[in-house]
Amino acid sequence: YKDFFSNKPYDIILNGAYFKKIKHKLNTEFINVIAIHDSYRPSKRIDEIVKFINWNNDKNKKKIYLSLLGFDNKFPDSVSKNIIDLVNSNNYIKTYPRFKDFNSQIEQIIYESDLAISFSYRDACPNTVIELMSYSLPFVYYKSGGLPEIIKDAGIGLTFPNSEKYYTSHRFENDFPSINYPDVLKAIIEIKNNRNHYEKKVLNRFK
C-alpha cells in the first residue's frame, strides 16, 4: 500500500476490513467462486470472469458457479453489450444487487464459496480483495498492480501470457493482456483441492 499511496497512512486498511474466520460449506461436486462487480472501470475485467465461467462450463464436466455481488446490470461502455445477456442467461452465474454492508445474506454467499477470483489490472489496492480475504477466502488472481503484495501466498497468482509492459491501459481504457483460461482453471482446482492449506495462508496475512 505504501508503494502506491506514499502520501497516505499505510499502517491501517482504510476500508476497515477485519478478519472473520467462518466455516465454509464446501461442495465436492462443483466449485463456487465469488467476485464483486464493478460497472465503472474496465480494468476490473469482470467481463473476462464471466467469459471464463462460460468457457469452463462449455468444455468441462466440473462446473464452476459464480456469485457476482453488487451487480447492477451494467458494464463499462468499452465492454461488449452481449456480456449482460451472457450474465443473465447463464445458469452458472448468480447475481446479487449492490449492498451497503456485509449483511447476513452476503455472509451466507461467502460461506458457500470456495474461493474468490480477480482479474483486476494495475489496481493499486482493491478494497474488494481485502474484504473477501477478511472472510478467509483465498484468491486466484493475476500478478498486476498491488495484488501480489496484498495477497502474496494466500492464493495463486498467475502471470500474463504476454508481457504486461506492452499494454498501457489503466482503469478506464480497454487494452489489456489476454487471460489464459486453462491456467485459471488449474489454479482454481489447486485451491479447491487444498482449501484448508490456503485458508491458513489467508489467516497469516491478517496476523
Side-chain angles (χ1 to χ4, degrees), residues 24 31-37 46 49 53 64-70 94 96 99 102 105-119 128-129 131-133 135-140 188 195:
H24 288 268
I31 302 172
N32 281 326
V33 303
I34 191 170
I36 299 181
H37 185 58
I46 304 299
I49 295 177
I53 296 297
I64 300 177
Y65 287 82
L66 170 66
S67 294
L68 188 56
L69 304 183
K94 296 187 72 174
Y96 301 87
F99 56 97
F102 284 80
Q105 182 197 25
I106 300 299
E107 288 190 342
Q108 179 66 26
I109 298 164
I110 296 172
Y111 164 71
E112 295 174 353
S113 299
D114 296 296
L115 64 135
I117 186 169
S118 174
F119 292 164
T128 56
V129 170
E131 288 161 351
L132 290 177
M133 284 180 66
Y135 282 88
S136 68
L137 281 175
F139 260 85
V140 169
I188 287 174
R195 183 62 176 70

mmCIF file of all heavy atoms in Angstrom, residues 24 31-37 46 49 53 64-70 94 96 99 102 105-119 128-129 131-133 135-140 188 195:
data_model
loop_
_atom_site.group_PDB
_atom_site.id
_atom_site.type_symbol
_atom_site.label_atom_id
_atom_site.label_comp_id
_atom_site.label_asym_id
_atom_site.label_seq_id
_atom_site.Cartn_x
_atom_site.Cartn_y
_atom_site.Cartn_z
ATOM 1 N N HIS A 24 -16.533 -22.575 6.043
ATOM 2 C CA HIS A 24 -17.095 -22.577 4.709
ATOM 3 C C HIS A 24 -17.763 -23.914 4.396
ATOM 4 O O HIS A 24 -17.272 -24.979 4.777
ATOM 5 C CB HIS A 24 -16.004 -22.278 3.669
ATOM 6 C CG HIS A 24 -15.570 -20.862 3.692
ATOM 7 N ND1 HIS A 24 -16.134 -19.891 2.893
ATOM 8 C CD2 HIS A 24 -14.644 -20.224 4.440
ATOM 9 C CE1 HIS A 24 -15.567 -18.734 3.143
ATOM 10 N NE2 HIS A 24 -14.653 -18.904 4.077
ATOM 11 N N ILE A 31 -17.606 -26.284 -8.100
ATOM 12 C CA ILE A 31 -16.775 -25.259 -7.471
ATOM 13 C C ILE A 31 -17.558 -23.949 -7.432
ATOM 14 O O ILE A 31 -18.154 -23.546 -8.439
ATOM 15 C CB ILE A 31 -15.460 -25.063 -8.260
ATOM 16 C CG1 ILE A 31 -14.695 -26.390 -8.351
ATOM 17 C CG2 ILE A 31 -14.592 -23.984 -7.604
ATOM 18 C CD1 ILE A 31 -13.491 -26.344 -9.264
ATOM 19 N N ASN A 32 -17.547 -23.298 -6.281
ATOM 20 C CA ASN A 32 -18.181 -21.988 -6.133
ATOM 21 C C ASN A 32 -17.114 -20.910 -6.032
ATOM 22 O O ASN A 32 -16.270 -20.960 -5.129
ATOM 23 C CB ASN A 32 -19.043 -21.947 -4.861
ATOM 24 C CG ASN A 32 -20.379 -22.630 -5.053
ATOM 25 O OD1 ASN A 32 -20.954 -22.593 -6.129
ATOM 26 N ND2 ASN A 32 -20.876 -23.250 -3.999
ATOM 27 N N VAL A 33 -17.150 -19.944 -6.936
ATOM 28 C CA VAL A 33 -16.249 -18.809 -6.847
ATOM 29 C C VAL A 33 -17.073 -17.538 -6.674
ATOM 30 O O VAL A 33 -18.268 -17.496 -7.002
ATOM 31 C CB VAL A 33 -15.329 -18.693 -8.082
ATOM 32 C CG1 VAL A 33 -14.525 -19.967 -8.272
ATOM 33 C CG2 VAL A 33 -16.120 -18.375 -9.352
ATOM 34 N N ILE A 34 -16.433 -16.505 -6.180
ATOM 35 C CA ILE A 34 -17.138 -15.263 -5.886
ATOM 36 C C ILE A 34 -16.325 -14.079 -6.391
ATOM 37 O O ILE A 34 -15.088 -14.112 -6.401
ATOM 38 C CB ILE A 34 -17.406 -15.153 -4.363
ATOM 39 C CG1 ILE A 34 -18.366 -14.006 -4.058
ATOM 40 C CG2 ILE A 34 -16.117 -15.042 -3.584
ATOM 41 C CD1 ILE A 34 -18.848 -13.996 -2.603
ATOM 42 N N ALA A 35 -17.011 -13.036 -6.822
ATOM 43 C CA ALA A 35 -16.373 -11.787 -7.237
ATOM 44 C C ALA A 35 -17.332 -10.648 -6.935
ATOM 45 O O ALA A 35 -18.542 -10.865 -6.788
ATOM 46 C CB ALA A 35 -16.026 -11.814 -8.727
ATOM 47 N N ILE A 36 -16.778 -9.443 -6.814
ATOM 48 C CA ILE A 36 -17.604 -8.254 -6.589
ATOM 49 C C ILE A 36 -17.578 -7.405 -7.842
ATOM 50 O O ILE A 36 -16.511 -7.065 -8.357
ATOM 51 C CB ILE A 36 -17.120 -7.465 -5.359
ATOM 52 C CG1 ILE A 36 -17.227 -8.335 -4.099
ATOM 53 C CG2 ILE A 36 -17.943 -6.192 -5.193
ATOM 54 C CD1 ILE A 36 -16.789 -7.654 -2.822
ATOM 55 N N HIS A 37 -18.754 -7.069 -8.325
ATOM 56 C CA HIS A 37 -18.906 -6.394 -9.618
ATOM 57 C C HIS A 37 -18.451 -4.936 -9.561
ATOM 58 O O HIS A 37 -18.509 -4.284 -8.519
ATOM 59 C CB HIS A 37 -20.370 -6.457 -10.062
ATOM 60 C CG HIS A 37 -20.620 -5.912 -11.429
ATOM 61 N ND1 HIS A 37 -19.987 -6.415 -12.544
ATOM 62 C CD2 HIS A 37 -21.416 -4.894 -11.875
ATOM 63 C CE1 HIS A 37 -20.398 -5.755 -13.606
ATOM 64 N NE2 HIS A 37 -21.250 -4.819 -13.223
ATOM 65 N N ILE A 46 -14.341 -7.674 -15.107
ATOM 66 C CA ILE A 46 -15.420 -8.579 -14.703
ATOM 67 C C ILE A 46 -15.946 -9.342 -15.913
ATOM 68 O O ILE A 46 -16.346 -10.514 -15.802
ATOM 69 C CB ILE A 46 -16.563 -7.801 -14.024
ATOM 70 C CG1 ILE A 46 -16.042 -6.996 -12.820
ATOM 71 C CG2 ILE A 46 -17.675 -8.750 -13.590
ATOM 72 C CD1 ILE A 46 -15.438 -7.826 -11.727
ATOM 73 N N ILE A 49 -14.118 -12.496 -16.338
ATOM 74 C CA ILE A 49 -14.522 -13.540 -15.390
ATOM 75 C C ILE A 49 -15.764 -14.249 -15.906
ATOM 76 O O ILE A 49 -15.867 -15.477 -15.861
ATOM 77 C CB ILE A 49 -14.771 -12.935 -13.997
ATOM 78 C CG1 ILE A 49 -13.468 -12.365 -13.420
ATOM 79 C CG2 ILE A 49 -15.360 -13.993 -13.053
ATOM 80 C CD1 ILE A 49 -13.634 -11.684 -12.079
ATOM 81 N N ILE A 53 -16.097 -18.289 -16.920
ATOM 82 C CA ILE A 53 -17.122 -19.199 -16.394
ATOM 83 C C ILE A 53 -17.849 -19.881 -17.551
ATOM 84 O O ILE A 53 -18.082 -21.101 -17.533
ATOM 85 C CB ILE A 53 -18.123 -18.437 -15.504
ATOM 86 C CG1 ILE A 53 -17.430 -17.859 -14.264
ATOM 87 C CG2 ILE A 53 -19.289 -19.343 -15.092
ATOM 88 C CD1 ILE A 53 -16.833 -18.878 -13.335
ATOM 89 N N ILE A 64 -18.281 -24.740 -12.616
ATOM 90 C CA ILE A 64 -17.932 -23.639 -11.729
ATOM 91 C C ILE A 64 -19.098 -22.664 -11.690
ATOM 92 O O ILE A 64 -19.576 -22.195 -12.725
ATOM 93 C CB ILE A 64 -16.658 -22.913 -12.205
ATOM 94 C CG1 ILE A 64 -15.472 -23.887 -12.240
ATOM 95 C CG2 ILE A 64 -16.345 -21.726 -11.289
ATOM 96 C CD1 ILE A 64 -14.185 -23.267 -12.765
ATOM 97 N N TYR A 65 -19.552 -22.378 -10.483
ATOM 98 C CA TYR A 65 -20.611 -21.396 -10.281
ATOM 99 C C TYR A 65 -19.989 -20.084 -9.816
ATOM 100 O O TYR A 65 -19.082 -20.074 -8.975
ATOM 101 C CB TYR A 65 -21.613 -21.888 -9.232
ATOM 102 C CG TYR A 65 -22.515 -22.994 -9.712
ATOM 103 C CD1 TYR A 65 -22.100 -24.319 -9.719
ATOM 104 C CD2 TYR A 65 -23.795 -22.705 -10.184
ATOM 105 C CE1 TYR A 65 -22.929 -25.341 -10.170
ATOM 106 C CE2 TYR A 65 -24.639 -23.727 -10.633
ATOM 107 C CZ TYR A 65 -24.196 -25.029 -10.622
ATOM 108 O OH TYR A 65 -25.025 -26.031 -11.073
ATOM 109 N N LEU A 66 -20.478 -18.994 -10.365
ATOM 110 C CA LEU A 66 -20.003 -17.673 -9.973
ATOM 111 C C LEU A 66 -21.099 -16.912 -9.237
ATOM 112 O O LEU A 66 -22.216 -16.767 -9.749
ATOM 113 C CB LEU A 66 -19.582 -16.870 -11.215
ATOM 114 C CG LEU A 66 -19.294 -15.372 -10.989
ATOM 115 C CD1 LEU A 66 -18.068 -15.184 -10.093
ATOM 116 C CD2 LEU A 66 -19.106 -14.652 -12.330
ATOM 117 N N SER A 67 -20.782 -16.434 -8.040
ATOM 118 C CA SER A 67 -21.644 -15.488 -7.335
ATOM 119 C C SER A 67 -21.074 -14.094 -7.581
ATOM 120 O O SER A 67 -19.941 -13.803 -7.173
ATOM 121 C CB SER A 67 -21.671 -15.791 -5.836
ATOM 122 O OG SER A 67 -22.284 -17.027 -5.592
ATOM 123 N N LEU A 68 -21.842 -13.264 -8.260
ATOM 124 C CA LEU A 68 -21.382 -11.924 -8.627
ATOM 125 C C LEU A 68 -22.129 -10.910 -7.754
ATOM 126 O O LEU A 68 -23.306 -10.617 -7.969
ATOM 127 C CB LEU A 68 -21.640 -11.673 -10.111
ATOM 128 C CG LEU A 68 -21.050 -10.398 -10.716
ATOM 129 C CD1 LEU A 68 -19.535 -10.340 -10.506
ATOM 130 C CD2 LEU A 68 -21.375 -10.317 -12.204
ATOM 131 N N LEU A 69 -21.430 -10.391 -6.758
ATOM 132 C CA LEU A 69 -22.041 -9.466 -5.806
ATOM 133 C C LEU A 69 -22.066 -8.045 -6.366
ATOM 134 O O LEU A 69 -21.159 -7.641 -7.099
ATOM 135 C CB LEU A 69 -21.262 -9.466 -4.490
ATOM 136 C CG LEU A 69 -21.074 -10.807 -3.776
ATOM 137 C CD1 LEU A 69 -20.348 -10.588 -2.450
ATOM 138 C CD2 LEU A 69 -22.397 -11.505 -3.555
ATOM 139 N N GLY A 70 -23.087 -7.292 -5.995
ATOM 140 C CA GLY A 70 -23.147 -5.881 -6.381
ATOM 141 C C GLY A 70 -23.457 -5.647 -7.839
ATOM 142 O O GLY A 70 -23.128 -4.589 -8.383
ATOM 143 N N LYS A 94 -24.893 -16.448 -10.629
ATOM 144 C CA LYS A 94 -25.940 -15.878 -9.790
ATOM 145 C C LYS A 94 -25.527 -14.459 -9.424
ATOM 146 O O LYS A 94 -24.425 -14.235 -8.928
ATOM 147 C CB LYS A 94 -26.143 -16.720 -8.531
ATOM 148 C CG LYS A 94 -26.635 -18.138 -8.818
ATOM 149 C CD LYS A 94 -26.980 -18.875 -7.539
ATOM 150 C CE LYS A 94 -28.251 -18.338 -6.921
ATOM 151 N NZ LYS A 94 -28.699 -19.138 -5.751
ATOM 152 N N TYR A 96 -26.258 -10.694 -7.481
ATOM 153 C CA TYR A 96 -26.862 -10.105 -6.288
ATOM 154 C C TYR A 96 -26.713 -8.589 -6.372
ATOM 155 O O TYR A 96 -25.680 -8.094 -6.833
ATOM 156 C CB TYR A 96 -26.189 -10.647 -5.027
ATOM 157 C CG TYR A 96 -26.290 -12.147 -4.916
ATOM 158 C CD1 TYR A 96 -25.340 -12.972 -5.517
ATOM 159 C CD2 TYR A 96 -27.346 -12.745 -4.250
ATOM 160 C CE1 TYR A 96 -25.432 -14.351 -5.442
ATOM 161 C CE2 TYR A 96 -27.451 -14.133 -4.168
ATOM 162 C CZ TYR A 96 -26.495 -14.929 -4.767
ATOM 163 O OH TYR A 96 -26.591 -16.308 -4.704
ATOM 164 N N PHE A 99 -24.854 -3.632 -2.355
ATOM 165 C CA PHE A 99 -25.110 -3.740 -0.926
ATOM 166 C C PHE A 99 -24.262 -2.719 -0.172
ATOM 167 O O PHE A 99 -23.214 -2.288 -0.647
ATOM 168 C CB PHE A 99 -24.808 -5.157 -0.434
ATOM 169 C CG PHE A 99 -23.408 -5.627 -0.735
ATOM 170 C CD1 PHE A 99 -22.409 -5.538 0.222
ATOM 171 C CD2 PHE A 99 -23.092 -6.155 -1.983
ATOM 172 C CE1 PHE A 99 -21.127 -5.964 -0.060
ATOM 173 C CE2 PHE A 99 -21.798 -6.584 -2.274
ATOM 174 C CZ PHE A 99 -20.811 -6.495 -1.306
ATOM 175 N N PHE A 102 -21.715 -6.000 4.739
ATOM 176 C CA PHE A 102 -21.679 -7.452 4.636
ATOM 177 C C PHE A 102 -22.714 -8.029 5.607
ATOM 178 O O PHE A 102 -22.392 -8.498 6.692
ATOM 179 C CB PHE A 102 -20.271 -7.965 4.934
ATOM 180 C CG PHE A 102 -19.319 -7.737 3.801
ATOM 181 C CD1 PHE A 102 -18.739 -6.493 3.615
ATOM 182 C CD2 PHE A 102 -19.024 -8.742 2.904
ATOM 183 C CE1 PHE A 102 -17.871 -6.258 2.559
ATOM 184 C CE2 PHE A 102 -18.156 -8.532 1.842
ATOM 185 C CZ PHE A 102 -17.580 -7.274 1.667
ATOM 186 N N GLN A 105 -27.140 -12.039 4.402
ATOM 187 C CA GLN A 105 -27.277 -12.668 3.088
ATOM 188 C C GLN A 105 -25.926 -12.738 2.383
ATOM 189 O O GLN A 105 -25.563 -13.774 1.805
ATOM 190 C CB GLN A 105 -28.257 -11.892 2.212
ATOM 191 C CG GLN A 105 -28.453 -12.558 0.847
ATOM 192 C CD GLN A 105 -29.069 -11.647 -0.201
ATOM 193 O OE1 GLN A 105 -28.958 -10.430 -0.116
ATOM 194 N NE2 GLN A 105 -29.707 -12.248 -1.199
ATOM 195 N N ILE A 106 -25.164 -11.649 2.431
ATOM 196 C CA ILE A 106 -23.851 -11.627 1.793
ATOM 197 C C ILE A 106 -22.925 -12.628 2.480
ATOM 198 O O ILE A 106 -22.189 -13.372 1.814
ATOM 199 C CB ILE A 106 -23.251 -10.207 1.845
ATOM 200 C CG1 ILE A 106 -24.155 -9.205 1.108
ATOM 201 C CG2 ILE A 106 -21.848 -10.198 1.257
ATOM 202 C CD1 ILE A 106 -24.361 -9.511 -0.355
ATOM 203 N N GLU A 107 -22.976 -12.688 3.799
ATOM 204 C CA GLU A 107 -22.138 -13.644 4.516
ATOM 205 C C GLU A 107 -22.497 -15.084 4.164
ATOM 206 O O GLU A 107 -21.624 -15.948 4.090
ATOM 207 C CB GLU A 107 -22.250 -13.419 6.021
ATOM 208 C CG GLU A 107 -21.548 -12.152 6.476
ATOM 209 C CD GLU A 107 -21.442 -12.057 7.979
ATOM 210 O OE1 GLU A 107 -22.189 -12.784 8.673
ATOM 211 O OE2 GLU A 107 -20.625 -11.256 8.462
ATOM 212 N N GLN A 108 -23.760 -15.350 3.913
ATOM 213 C CA GLN A 108 -24.177 -16.695 3.518
ATOM 214 C C GLN A 108 -23.591 -17.069 2.170
ATOM 215 O O GLN A 108 -23.150 -18.204 1.959
ATOM 216 C CB GLN A 108 -25.709 -16.770 3.464
ATOM 217 C CG GLN A 108 -26.265 -18.124 3.040
ATOM 218 C CD GLN A 108 -25.985 -19.231 4.042
ATOM 219 O OE1 GLN A 108 -25.817 -18.965 5.237
ATOM 220 N NE2 GLN A 108 -25.943 -20.462 3.561
ATOM 221 N N ILE A 109 -23.556 -16.120 1.247
ATOM 222 C CA ILE A 109 -22.964 -16.368 -0.073
ATOM 223 C C ILE A 109 -21.478 -16.649 0.063
ATOM 224 O O ILE A 109 -20.945 -17.578 -0.559
ATOM 225 C CB ILE A 109 -23.212 -15.156 -0.995
ATOM 226 C CG1 ILE A 109 -24.714 -14.951 -1.204
ATOM 227 C CG2 ILE A 109 -22.519 -15.356 -2.346
ATOM 228 C CD1 ILE A 109 -25.068 -13.590 -1.765
ATOM 229 N N ILE A 110 -20.809 -15.862 0.896
ATOM 230 C CA ILE A 110 -19.380 -16.078 1.135
ATOM 231 C C ILE A 110 -19.155 -17.445 1.775
ATOM 232 O O ILE A 110 -18.222 -18.177 1.415
ATOM 233 C CB ILE A 110 -18.812 -14.950 2.017
ATOM 234 C CG1 ILE A 110 -18.896 -13.610 1.277
ATOM 235 C CG2 ILE A 110 -17.370 -15.239 2.422
ATOM 236 C CD1 ILE A 110 -18.533 -12.410 2.117
ATOM 237 N N TYR A 111 -20.021 -17.783 2.715
ATOM 238 C CA TYR A 111 -19.957 -19.069 3.425
ATOM 239 C C TYR A 111 -19.991 -20.247 2.447
ATOM 240 O O TYR A 111 -19.355 -21.282 2.683
ATOM 241 C CB TYR A 111 -21.122 -19.104 4.406
ATOM 242 C CG TYR A 111 -21.500 -20.449 4.990
ATOM 243 C CD1 TYR A 111 -20.683 -21.085 5.913
ATOM 244 C CD2 TYR A 111 -22.710 -21.057 4.651
ATOM 245 C CE1 TYR A 111 -21.036 -22.305 6.464
ATOM 246 C CE2 TYR A 111 -23.076 -22.273 5.197
ATOM 247 C CZ TYR A 111 -22.239 -22.891 6.103
ATOM 248 O OH TYR A 111 -22.601 -24.101 6.652
ATOM 249 N N GLU A 112 -20.692 -20.094 1.352
ATOM 250 C CA GLU A 112 -20.838 -21.179 0.379
ATOM 251 C C GLU A 112 -19.778 -21.133 -0.723
ATOM 252 O O GLU A 112 -19.807 -21.955 -1.646
ATOM 253 C CB GLU A 112 -22.239 -21.120 -0.239
ATOM 254 C CG GLU A 112 -23.350 -21.391 0.774
ATOM 255 C CD GLU A 112 -24.743 -21.182 0.191
ATOM 256 O OE1 GLU A 112 -24.840 -20.698 -0.944
ATOM 257 O OE2 GLU A 112 -25.732 -21.499 0.893
ATOM 258 N N SER A 113 -18.842 -20.199 -0.655
ATOM 259 C CA SER A 113 -17.835 -20.033 -1.707
ATOM 260 C C SER A 113 -16.541 -20.764 -1.356
ATOM 261 O O SER A 113 -16.123 -20.795 -0.194
ATOM 262 C CB SER A 113 -17.536 -18.548 -1.923
ATOM 263 O OG SER A 113 -18.701 -17.861 -2.324
ATOM 264 N N ASP A 114 -15.916 -21.320 -2.381
ATOM 265 C CA ASP A 114 -14.620 -21.981 -2.201
ATOM 266 C C ASP A 114 -13.472 -20.981 -2.233
ATOM 267 O O ASP A 114 -12.489 -21.132 -1.517
ATOM 268 C CB ASP A 114 -14.403 -23.022 -3.306
ATOM 269 C CG ASP A 114 -15.417 -24.141 -3.237
ATOM 270 O OD1 ASP A 114 -15.406 -24.869 -2.232
ATOM 271 O OD2 ASP A 114 -16.219 -24.281 -4.176
ATOM 272 N N LEU A 115 -13.592 -19.987 -3.079
ATOM 273 C CA LEU A 115 -12.516 -19.029 -3.277
ATOM 274 C C LEU A 115 -13.041 -17.808 -4.017
ATOM 275 O O LEU A 115 -14.164 -17.817 -4.527
ATOM 276 C CB LEU A 115 -11.362 -19.650 -4.076
ATOM 277 C CG LEU A 115 -11.699 -20.074 -5.509
ATOM 278 C CD1 LEU A 115 -10.631 -19.627 -6.472
ATOM 279 C CD2 LEU A 115 -11.877 -21.585 -5.601
ATOM 280 N N ALA A 116 -12.227 -16.779 -4.052
ATOM 281 C CA ALA A 116 -12.561 -15.565 -4.799
ATOM 282 C C ALA A 116 -11.655 -15.466 -6.013
ATOM 283 O O ALA A 116 -10.596 -16.100 -6.072
ATOM 284 C CB ALA A 116 -12.403 -14.337 -3.911
ATOM 285 N N ILE A 117 -12.074 -14.649 -6.962
ATOM 286 C CA ILE A 117 -11.320 -14.520 -8.204
ATOM 287 C C ILE A 117 -11.241 -13.051 -8.597
ATOM 288 O O ILE A 117 -12.194 -12.290 -8.420
ATOM 289 C CB ILE A 117 -11.977 -15.370 -9.326
ATOM 290 C CG1 ILE A 117 -11.121 -15.371 -10.591
ATOM 291 C CG2 ILE A 117 -13.399 -14.935 -9.606
ATOM 292 C CD1 ILE A 117 -11.586 -16.397 -11.623
ATOM 293 N N SER A 118 -10.066 -12.650 -9.085
ATOM 294 C CA SER A 118 -9.879 -11.273 -9.542
ATOM 295 C C SER A 118 -8.964 -11.267 -10.761
ATOM 296 O O SER A 118 -7.873 -11.844 -10.724
ATOM 297 C CB SER A 118 -9.263 -10.410 -8.442
ATOM 298 O OG SER A 118 -8.960 -9.122 -8.928
ATOM 299 N N PHE A 119 -9.424 -10.606 -11.814
ATOM 300 C CA PHE A 119 -8.581 -10.359 -12.990
ATOM 301 C C PHE A 119 -8.192 -8.882 -13.064
ATOM 302 O O PHE A 119 -7.804 -8.374 -14.101
ATOM 303 C CB PHE A 119 -9.313 -10.740 -14.278
ATOM 304 C CG PHE A 119 -9.568 -12.222 -14.439
ATOM 305 C CD1 PHE A 119 -10.505 -12.672 -15.368
ATOM 306 C CD2 PHE A 119 -8.892 -13.159 -13.676
ATOM 307 C CE1 PHE A 119 -10.751 -14.033 -15.536
ATOM 308 C CE2 PHE A 119 -9.138 -14.530 -13.837
ATOM 309 C CZ PHE A 119 -10.069 -14.956 -14.773
ATOM 310 N N THR A 128 -12.093 -4.586 -2.526
ATOM 311 C CA THR A 128 -12.886 -5.809 -2.591
ATOM 312 C C THR A 128 -12.043 -7.046 -2.301
ATOM 313 O O THR A 128 -12.546 -8.021 -1.727
ATOM 314 C CB THR A 128 -13.557 -5.957 -3.971
ATOM 315 O OG1 THR A 128 -12.550 -5.919 -4.990
ATOM 316 C CG2 THR A 128 -14.559 -4.847 -4.210
ATOM 317 N N VAL A 129 -10.785 -7.022 -2.691
ATOM 318 C CA VAL A 129 -9.897 -8.150 -2.412
ATOM 319 C C VAL A 129 -9.675 -8.279 -0.908
ATOM 320 O O VAL A 129 -9.777 -9.371 -0.336
ATOM 321 C CB VAL A 129 -8.557 -7.984 -3.158
ATOM 322 C CG1 VAL A 129 -7.536 -9.015 -2.681
ATOM 323 C CG2 VAL A 129 -8.776 -8.113 -4.660
ATOM 324 N N GLU A 131 -11.545 -7.159 1.478
ATOM 325 C CA GLU A 131 -12.808 -7.504 2.141
ATOM 326 C C GLU A 131 -13.107 -8.992 2.055
ATOM 327 O O GLU A 131 -13.501 -9.614 3.048
ATOM 328 C CB GLU A 131 -13.940 -6.678 1.531
ATOM 329 C CG GLU A 131 -13.883 -5.219 1.941
ATOM 330 C CD GLU A 131 -14.680 -4.303 1.035
ATOM 331 O OE1 GLU A 131 -15.152 -4.743 -0.029
ATOM 332 O OE2 GLU A 131 -14.835 -3.131 1.398
ATOM 333 N N LEU A 132 -12.933 -9.580 0.883
ATOM 334 C CA LEU A 132 -13.217 -11.009 0.742
ATOM 335 C C LEU A 132 -12.161 -11.853 1.452
ATOM 336 O O LEU A 132 -12.481 -12.903 2.016
ATOM 337 C CB LEU A 132 -13.321 -11.382 -0.733
ATOM 338 C CG LEU A 132 -14.557 -10.831 -1.448
ATOM 339 C CD1 LEU A 132 -14.537 -11.189 -2.933
ATOM 340 C CD2 LEU A 132 -15.852 -11.338 -0.810
ATOM 341 N N MET A 133 -10.911 -11.412 1.423
ATOM 342 C CA MET A 133 -9.878 -12.128 2.182
ATOM 343 C C MET A 133 -10.177 -12.088 3.676
ATOM 344 O O MET A 133 -9.836 -13.027 4.408
ATOM 345 C CB MET A 133 -8.505 -11.526 1.905
ATOM 346 C CG MET A 133 -7.911 -11.913 0.568
ATOM 347 S SD MET A 133 -6.291 -11.148 0.319
ATOM 348 C CE MET A 133 -5.318 -11.937 1.595
ATOM 349 N N TYR A 135 -12.775 -12.610 5.056
ATOM 350 C CA TYR A 135 -13.674 -13.729 5.344
ATOM 351 C C TYR A 135 -12.993 -15.067 5.037
ATOM 352 O O TYR A 135 -13.650 -16.057 4.752
ATOM 353 C CB TYR A 135 -14.969 -13.590 4.561
ATOM 354 C CG TYR A 135 -15.921 -12.591 5.159
ATOM 355 C CD1 TYR A 135 -15.859 -11.251 4.817
ATOM 356 C CD2 TYR A 135 -16.874 -12.983 6.096
ATOM 357 C CE1 TYR A 135 -16.730 -10.330 5.379
ATOM 358 C CE2 TYR A 135 -17.746 -12.074 6.669
ATOM 359 C CZ TYR A 135 -17.669 -10.743 6.300
ATOM 360 O OH TYR A 135 -18.523 -9.832 6.864
ATOM 361 N N SER A 136 -11.683 -15.060 5.077
ATOM 362 C CA SER A 136 -10.826 -16.253 4.927
ATOM 363 C C SER A 136 -10.893 -16.879 3.535
ATOM 364 O O SER A 136 -10.638 -18.069 3.381
ATOM 365 C CB SER A 136 -11.126 -17.303 6.010
ATOM 366 O OG SER A 136 -12.394 -17.886 5.867
ATOM 367 N N LEU A 137 -11.227 -16.074 2.536
ATOM 368 C CA LEU A 137 -11.282 -16.597 1.167
ATOM 369 C C LEU A 137 -9.936 -16.413 0.462
ATOM 370 O O LEU A 137 -9.444 -15.290 0.348
ATOM 371 C CB LEU A 137 -12.361 -15.879 0.357
ATOM 372 C CG LEU A 137 -13.808 -16.320 0.588
ATOM 373 C CD1 LEU A 137 -14.747 -15.420 -0.203
ATOM 374 C CD2 LEU A 137 -14.009 -17.767 0.179
ATOM 375 N N PRO A 138 -9.331 -17.497 -0.035
ATOM 376 C CA PRO A 138 -8.141 -17.363 -0.873
ATOM 377 C C PRO A 138 -8.525 -16.864 -2.264
ATOM 378 O O PRO A 138 -9.691 -16.924 -2.662
ATOM 379 C CB PRO A 138 -7.583 -18.789 -0.924
ATOM 380 C CG PRO A 138 -8.771 -19.665 -0.678
ATOM 381 C CD PRO A 138 -9.712 -18.895 0.192
ATOM 382 N N PHE A 139 -7.534 -16.398 -2.997
ATOM 383 C CA PHE A 139 -7.778 -15.784 -4.304
ATOM 384 C C PHE A 139 -7.007 -16.481 -5.418
ATOM 385 O O PHE A 139 -5.865 -16.911 -5.232
ATOM 386 C CB PHE A 139 -7.327 -14.318 -4.284
ATOM 387 C CG PHE A 139 -8.453 -13.344 -4.090
ATOM 388 C CD1 PHE A 139 -8.883 -13.029 -2.812
ATOM 389 C CD2 PHE A 139 -9.073 -12.744 -5.168
ATOM 390 C CE1 PHE A 139 -9.911 -12.128 -2.610
ATOM 391 C CE2 PHE A 139 -10.117 -11.849 -4.980
ATOM 392 C CZ PHE A 139 -10.537 -11.533 -3.699
ATOM 393 N N VAL A 140 -7.652 -16.537 -6.585
ATOM 394 C CA VAL A 140 -6.946 -16.726 -7.850
ATOM 395 C C VAL A 140 -6.903 -15.361 -8.504
ATOM 396 O O VAL A 140 -7.933 -14.702 -8.645
ATOM 397 C CB VAL A 140 -7.654 -17.749 -8.761
ATOM 398 C CG1 VAL A 140 -7.052 -17.714 -10.162
ATOM 399 C CG2 VAL A 140 -7.536 -19.147 -8.181
ATOM 400 N N ILE A 188 -7.645 -22.659 -9.875
ATOM 401 C CA ILE A 188 -8.885 -22.834 -9.109
ATOM 402 C C ILE A 188 -8.976 -24.248 -8.539
ATOM 403 O O ILE A 188 -9.319 -24.443 -7.366
ATOM 404 C CB ILE A 188 -10.102 -22.520 -9.993
ATOM 405 C CG1 ILE A 188 -10.200 -21.001 -10.234
ATOM 406 C CG2 ILE A 188 -11.397 -23.039 -9.365
ATOM 407 C CD1 ILE A 188 -11.291 -20.604 -11.203
ATOM 408 N N ARG A 195 -7.995 -26.580 0.119
ATOM 409 C CA ARG A 195 -8.667 -25.412 0.675
ATOM 410 C C ARG A 195 -8.165 -25.040 2.067
ATOM 411 O O ARG A 195 -7.928 -23.859 2.356
ATOM 412 C CB ARG A 195 -10.184 -25.689 0.714
ATOM 413 C CG ARG A 195 -11.028 -24.541 1.200
ATOM 414 C CD ARG A 195 -10.900 -23.324 0.298
ATOM 415 N NE ARG A 195 -11.774 -22.241 0.686
ATOM 416 C CZ ARG A 195 -11.632 -21.487 1.779
ATOM 417 N NH1 ARG A 195 -10.649 -21.722 2.594
ATOM 418 N NH2 ARG A 195 -12.472 -20.511 2.033
#
